[in-house]
Amino acid sequence: MRVGLKAALSDAHLNLAQASNQRQLAVSISALLESQGRTAPLNLCLILDHSGSMEGRPLDTVKQAAHRIVDSLSPGDRLSVVMFDHKAKVLIPNQTIHSPETAKGEISRIKASGGTAIDEGMRLGIEELAKGKKDTISQAFLLTDGENEHGDNDRCLKLAQLAAGYNLTLNTLGFGDRWNQDVLERIADAAGGTLSYIQRPETAVSEFSRLFTRIQSVGLTNAYLLLSLKPQARLAEMKPIAQVIPDTIELPVTQEGDQWVVRLGDLMIDVPRVVLANLYIGGLTEGIQTIAEVQIRYDDPLIGASGLLSERIPVEAIAQQNYQPVPNDQVQQHILALAKYRQTQIAETKLQMGDRAGAATLLQSAAKTALQMGDQGAATVLQETATRLQSGEELSEADRKKTRIVSKTVIS
């Protein structure tokens, strides 16, 4: 297994008549499967809300989805199951599943009761995952349908950050319309996972299956982008780096010596993570010059190796006295994806402040941005939300959740 790494500027041509040129650097990173044709075993923990509000069809469909996961495990994969209400309990300790029917029988016995303490479920789930993390791809599915009424949301975020530090990925699934989107999104973003929305019980099985297929494609883990800038280039001061594929997330960046370091988490096979860095470039002489270098540090659990380094890729720019712009169409698409996300984020802030008109205007802008990038599905949702605000309607929880979800990913 090795890293596929590509880098491109939004326009590699720079104008020497300007003291500084702003450019976006798109870095595409994926895992490339080599001849052995296999990946490391999965180490999966299901962290399931079984509070009283899950009673009936919701819990039944979640158990059905969990059964499907058990049946989909490959030999050597590990599974643990944690259930939580206002407290948490390990239902299936971390183990290689030799009897799928026994595991499904345990899951079938889950009954709905009590309140909701997400952080307690997370704590036990992380402990179970940690037991089987050596030379595996460690992932959790955290599902809840409610607010963290018996828990501490700040503790949830700290646990997500702890999980990331241990190379454990947490994916969150919000069931129904009463869960707290801020909390589940922050957990997923901090722990390198993805947020899913199960609006109706009948979609639980398909959403679990979609997410399971995604984690099956993980080949490399604990990846970091290492960005080295030449003296002529610098990062923007505000929100300098964001991921735009597969989901849009603002990424924290730290400095180690002369390198900027960004944690990426898991790398999927042939499915890239694309990261945008906002650069300012100036002080060049005419001609082709290297303005940055990118490299990936990563772990390969299949061979039990950590801290591996990819090849180092130079990023070249062409400084011109007679500037002729040559925009990169693919990078422009990534810029639009980030704009759609940020416009929606600002709209949500305005709505929280009571500025419905301002929120509607920004959502209309986000809808136009989505159309520009060919994301018809997001454009429809964003425009419908803007129209509801303009007509004086109150947004339902489903409206708010769909709007946030489509801002983060392409659904068309």
Side-chain angles (χ1 to χ4, degrees):
M1 197 78 64
R2 61 189 177 88
V3 170
L5 179 61
K6 298 177 183 177
L9 289 168
S10 51
D11 183 350
H13 291 199
L14 304 179
N15 188 355
L16 279 177
Q18 294 182 353
S20 180
N21 291 259
Q22 184 181 17
R23 292 292 184 271
Q24 283 72 41
L25 171 64
V27 184
S28 174
I29 314 104
S30 61
L32 300 180
L33 193 63
E34 295 183 308
S35 56
Q36 70 268 19
R38 60 192 180 93
T39 60
L42 280 178
N43 173 35
L44 177 64
C45 182
L46 304 180
I47 308 171
L48 305 177
D49 182 347
H50 73 115
S51 59
S53 56
M54 289 288 292
E55 187 167 14
R57 194 167 182 218
L59 188 56
D60 288 342
T61 56
V62 168
K63 289 191 283 189
Q64 183 185 348
H67 288 172
R68 181 78 64 88
I69 294 292
V70 173
D71 288 333
S72 301
L73 294 172
S74 299
D77 287 347
R78 304 183 69 86
L79 177 73
S80 52
V81 179
V82 169
M83 59 181 192
F84 67 93
D85 47 27
H86 53 275
K87 54 187 183 302
K89 175 184 176 182
V90 176
L91 181 68
I92 299 177
N94 190 295
Q95 60 187 274
T96 303
I97 299 298
H98 299 291
S99 172
E101 293 306 315
T102 300
K104 289 192 290 184
E106 290 293 329
I107 292 167
S108 293
R109 282 191 281 273
I110 299 175
K111 297 189 185 311
S113 66
T116 305
I118 297 171
D119 43 335
E120 279 302 297
M122 289 178 66
R123 179 182 65 82
L124 284 186
I126 290 169
E127 287 179 5
E128 289 304 311
L129 270 184
K131 294 174 183 177
K133 71 184 288 288
K134 181 175 171 56
D135 300 338
T136 63
I137 294 163
S138 298
Q139 300 258 342
F141 292 0
L142 167 64
L143 177 140
T144 184
D145 76 333
E147 293 275 355
N148 192 24
E149 57 190 357
H150 293 279
D152 183 330
N153 290 336
D154 288 337
R155 186 179 181 224
C156 287
L157 182 59
K158 289 175 182 175
L159 285 166
Q161 293 166 338
L162 177 69
Y166 279 103
N167 197 18
L168 310 173
T169 300
L170 307 184
N171 303 281
T172 55
L173 299 101
F175 195 107
D177 292 328
R178 296 197 305 271
W179 48 280
N180 187 316
Q181 185 143 3
D182 288 331
V183 172
L184 292 197
E185 187 169 336
R186 289 171 71 199
I187 290 170
D189 288 355
T194 186
L195 168 65
S196 300
Y197 176 25
I198 303 174
Q199 187 175 5
R200 299 177 306 280
E202 60 267 23
T203 64
V205 173
S206 62
E207 195 59 31
F208 265 67
S209 297
R210 184 194 68 80
L211 195 52
F212 187 75
T213 299
R214 175 168 166 162
I215 69 170
Q216 281 183 309
S217 72
V218 171
L220 301 171
T221 64
N222 202 32
Y224 288 80
L225 169 65
L226 310 178
L227 175 63
S228 301
L229 299 178
K230 301 301 181 182
Q232 296 85 357
R234 64 178 176 86
L235 276 178
E237 293 180 4
M238 297 291 291
K239 297 183 177 179
I241 296 183
Q243 175 183 290
V244 291
I245 293 177
D247 309 301
T248 305
I249 306 167
E250 304 285 359
L251 294 175
V253 57
T254 58
Q255 194 165 11
E256 294 181 7
D258 61 351
Q259 289 183 320
W260 295 100
V261 179
V262 181
R263 186 176 190 276
L264 305 172
D266 300 321
L267 300 181
M268 291 178 280
I269 298 166
D270 298 329
V271 179
R273 284 189 182 271
V274 177
V275 172
L276 274 185
N278 190 8
L279 303 179
Y280 289 91
I281 308 162
L284 299 175
T285 55
E286 190 167 16
I288 300 174
Q289 292 164 69
T290 298
I291 55 97
E293 292 178 330
V294 294
Q295 190 174 32
I296 303 299
R297 186 174 70 223
Y298 63 98
D299 297 348
D300 186 343
L302 183 62
I303 60 174
S306 60
L308 301 174
L309 291 172
S310 74
E311 62 179 324
R312 186 185 287 250
I313 301 291
V315 180
E316 293 183 335
I318 305 168
Q320 299 176 320
Q321 292 286 359
N322 298 311
Y323 171 60
Q324 297 293 326
V326 184
N328 183 305
D329 290 341
Q330 186 59 63
V331 180
Q332 297 301 322
Q333 285 291 102
H334 299 324
I335 293 169
L336 289 173
L338 183 56
K340 177 185 72 168
Y341 173 73
R342 288 178 172 168
Q343 287 164 341
T344 309
Q345 292 285 101
I346 299 170
E348 187 170 339
T349 300
K350 285 187 175 294
L351 188 58
Q352 290 170 351
M353 296 170 61
D355 183 2
R356 295 171 63 91
T361 299
L362 276 161
L363 287 171
Q364 286 180 318
S365 296
K368 291 175 183 176
T369 302
L371 278 178
Q372 278 184 270
M373 57 186 292
D375 188 358
Q376 181 64 54
T380 299
V381 171
L382 292 164
Q383 183 57 56
E384 286 176 350
T385 305
T387 301
R388 285 192 176 94
L389 288 174
Q390 288 172 325
S391 65
E393 291 182 46
E394 291 299 322
L395 296 182
S396 69
E397 282 300 315
D399 291 333
R400 291 173 182 266
K401 287 174 167 56
K402 282 191 290 186
T403 300
R404 179 91 71 90
I405 292 290
V406 301
S407 78
K408 288 176 68 73
T409 188
V410 175
I411 62 171
S412 58

